[in-house]
Amino acid sequence: YLFHNVCEMNIDAYLDEKYGIFDYLMEQKKKGRIRHLGFSAHGSYDIMKRFLDAYGEHMEFCQIQLNYLDWSFQNARAKVDLLKEHHIPVWVMEPLRGGKLAFLPEEQEEKLRLRPEEGIPAWAFRFLQSIPGVTMVLSGMSNFQQMQENIAVFEEDKPLDEKEMAALLEVADRMVKKIALPCTSCHYCVSHCP
């Protein structure tokens, strides 16, 4: 599997034929060095659309930031719909938004008592199980216990029902209203931030 990162800073280079990026990747695929070609999109919907309009028919998967907070906040819903139009499976990064969705304020946790057997991180994963087209979830884990908990969640497919989805998206909406900057604490921006 090979995927390349498409964002605002490099979309023009990918689309400029003089660099030969796409031709090179297709040649490597033809030679068998790349079995499955996809892309990771850290950019906006418009950037994804430009890339997919140019190369979508050749892409086999796409990795996007997808979680219940970014469903509307960073327009992840529209990105999922765009990938669906192109019949491209979704790989998920940041399902817990850098750990920010692993713990919630108590008043927000109360709204999620609809599934008392589920921990707070499980709600984020059940949200993803509710999104058609999601085929892989990449979850960063800090210790062995977190890994065991994540495995236990994914042993069963338990998508959210309408009432549970509404409650979770209400929690997200309240969280979004408190956010000044859409930061995930990834620090990718630090090296080139003015």
Side-chain angles (χ1 to χ4, degrees), residues 161-179:
D161 64 27
E162 283 185 40
K163 184 177 179 183
E164 293 164 338
M165 183 66 82
L168 190 61
L169 293 178
E170 180 183 337
V171 166
D173 187 50
R174 288 176 187 240
M175 291 173 73
V176 165
K177 289 177 181 170
K178 294 180 180 179
I179 295 175

Side-chain angles (χ1 to χ4, degrees), residues 9 18 21 48 80 85 87 94 102 114 133 141 147-148 152:
M9 294 186 312
K18 76 179 178 188
I21 295 170
M48 280 182 64
V80 168
E85 286 174 30
H87 308 286
E94 299 290 345
L114 299 166
M141 294 157 277
M147 184 178 76
Q148 289 175 310

Side-chain angles (χ1 to χ4, degrees), residues 94 120 122 137 166 186:
E94 299 290 345
I120 296 303
V137 177
C186 70

Side-chain angles (χ1 to χ4, degrees), residues 126-168:
R126 300 298 184 208
F127 169 79
L128 297 171
Q129 290 177 345
S130 307
I131 308 300
V134 169
T135 59
M136 182 179 297
V137 177
L138 305 171
S139 175
M141 294 157 277
S142 302
N143 57 49
F144 188 65
Q145 180 184 346
Q146 289 176 358
M147 184 178 76
Q148 289 175 310
E149 290 169 0
N150 288 0
I151 290 170
V153 168
F154 280 100
E155 284 179 340
E156 288 186 82
D157 192 31
K158 292 177 163 180
L160 302 176
D161 64 27
E162 283 185 40
K163 184 177 179 183
E164 293 164 338
M165 183 66 82
L168 190 61

Side-chain angles (χ1 to χ4, degrees), residues 42-60:
H42 297 263
S44 67
Y45 172 91
D46 293 334
I47 295 297
M48 280 182 64
K49 181 155 180 26
R50 282 179 64 199
F51 185 82
L52 288 168
D53 287 347
Y55 306 124
E57 67 184 280
H58 302 283
M59 296 297 118
E60 297 175 68

